[in-house]
């Protein structure tokens, strides 16, 4: 497939690498020059990298969005993700748009507009290749009914209150479970002795009402 990704951060770069290694063709749109240059030097398979704003039709056209099978918005800003997906759908007729949702409360808005809004990188890559099973779908439905959410929280790179601590030592809210870490280009399954590092992206299951408490516990903010 031909997949265009808006964004060049940890989530986008991991997703791009995963898709490239599986034989798909990938283009990325990234507006930070230093990040775009880093991606060009690190990603396998010589993907097309466009320096520009993925919310601008000019840069989407440069990336070949009109012939893309899937458009993925993977920035850390839900507003940018929503705008870029809507542009890809309406201006270029992309048949499938998938978006990272940073705030689970926004997931309903994305889905109502026909955008597949999800918050786990691993789930994004599985959905793109349509490998989700009936069991996966039932699990996600049960989580929604149970008022649970999948959240992503990036640990600060300085003054990190939980870094260099084992997960078992952390005082997490009730019904909050850390599932995985994204560290650079690696996804790490979390165990009790897993040590957190600055800049880690933490993927967790939590009750919706405990999301803010979990964020404070992990970031101090």
């Amino acid at each position: 497939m031909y997949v265009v990704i808006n964004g060049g951060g940890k989530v986008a770069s991991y997703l791009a690498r995963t898709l490239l290694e599986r034989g798909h063709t990938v283009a990325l749109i990234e507006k930070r020059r230093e990040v775009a240059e880093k991606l060009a030097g690190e990603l396998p398979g010589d993907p097309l990298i466009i320096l520009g704003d993925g919310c601008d039709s000019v840069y989407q056209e440069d990336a070949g969005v009109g012939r893309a099978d899937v458009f993925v918005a993977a920035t850390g800003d839900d507003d940018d993700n929503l705008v870029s997906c809507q542009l890809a759908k309406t201006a270029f007729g992309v048949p499938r748009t998938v978006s990272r949702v940073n705030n689970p409360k926004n997931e309903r808005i994305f889905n109502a507009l026909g955008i597949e809004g999800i918050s786990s990188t691993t789930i994004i890559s599985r959905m793109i290749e349509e490998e989700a099973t009936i069991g996966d779908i039932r699990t996600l439905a049960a989580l929604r009914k149970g008022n649970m959410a999948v959240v992503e929280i990036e640990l600060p790179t300085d003054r990190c209150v939980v870094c260099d601590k084992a997960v078992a030592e952390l005082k997490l809210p009730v019904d909050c479970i850390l599932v995985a870490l994204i560290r650079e280009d690696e996804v790490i399954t979390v165990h009790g002795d897993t040590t957190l590092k600055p800049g880690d992206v933490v993927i967790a299951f939590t009750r919706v009402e405990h999301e803010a408490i979990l964020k404070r516990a992990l970031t101090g903010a």
Side-chain angles (χ1 to χ4, degrees), residues 2 16 38 40 56 61 63 73 77 98-99 112 116 122 127 129 138 154-155 159 167-168 179 189 196 198 200 210:
Y2 183 50
K38 182 180 179 184
D56 189 318
E61 185 173 5
D77 187 302
V98 182
S99 178
E116 297 174 43
T122 304
M127 286 183 69
E129 296 196 297
R138 286 175 179 167
E154 184 168 355
L155 301 183
R159 299 181 182 178
V167 170
V179 178
T189 302
L196 302 177
D200 283 351
H210 293 163

Side-chain angles (χ1 to χ4, degrees), residues 76-78 100-106 149-156 158-163 170-178 196 200-221:
D77 187 302
D78 284 353
R100 172 188 181 186
V101 180
N102 300 278
N103 185 343
K105 296 177 183 177
N106 293 333
V150 180
V151 299
E152 295 179 5
I153 300 171
E154 184 168 355
L155 301 183
D158 60 341
R159 299 181 182 178
C160 179
V161 296
V162 295
C163 292
L170 304 181
K171 296 181 180 179
L172 301 176
V174 176
D175 294 329
C176 291
I177 302 171
L178 306 190
L196 302 177
D200 283 351
V201 176
V202 179
I203 299 175
F205 283 129
T206 178
R207 286 195 175 276
V208 173
E209 62 267 28
H210 293 163
E211 181 186 345
I213 302 172
L214 176 62
K215 184 177 180 180
R216 284 196 298 272
L218 293 176
T219 66

Side-chain angles (χ1 to χ4, degrees), residues 42-60:
E42 293 181 351
L43 288 175
D46 194 27
L48 174 64
I49 298 177
I50 302 298
L51 179 62
D53 186 347
C55 296
D56 189 318
S57 62
V58 172
Y59 298 110
Q60 286 205 11

Side-chain angles (χ1 to χ4, degrees), residues 9 16 19 26 28 36 62-63 74 111 144 154 184:
L19 292 171
V26 175
L28 290 99
D62 288 345
N111 292 332
R144 291 193 183 97
E154 184 168 355
E184 296 180 350

Side-chain angles (χ1 to χ4, degrees), residues 3-17 19 26-32 35 39 53-55 60 70-86 88 96-103 110 115-125 128 152 154 182 201:
V3 182
V4 178
I5 301 173
N6 180 33
K10 292 180 181 178
V11 172
S13 62
Y14 173 77
L15 179 60
R17 181 179 297 276
L19 292 171
V26 175
L28 290 99
I29 308 173
E30 169 54 50
K31 57 187 174 183
R32 297 166 293 179
V35 175
L39 290 170
D53 186 347
C55 296
Q60 286 205 11
V70 185
F71 180 88
V72 181
T75 78
D77 187 302
D78 284 353
D79 290 340
D80 283 355
N81 289 343
L82 185 64
V83 170
S84 62
C85 281
Q86 281 292 89
R96 193 173 191 190
T97 54
V98 182
S99 178
R100 172 188 181 186
V101 180
N102 300 278
N103 185 343
F110 282 79
I115 300 166
E116 297 174 43
I118 46 183
S119 54
S120 164
T121 308
T122 304
I123 295 174
I124 289 176
S125 67
I128 287 174
E152 295 179 5
E154 184 168 355
I182 301 173
V201 176

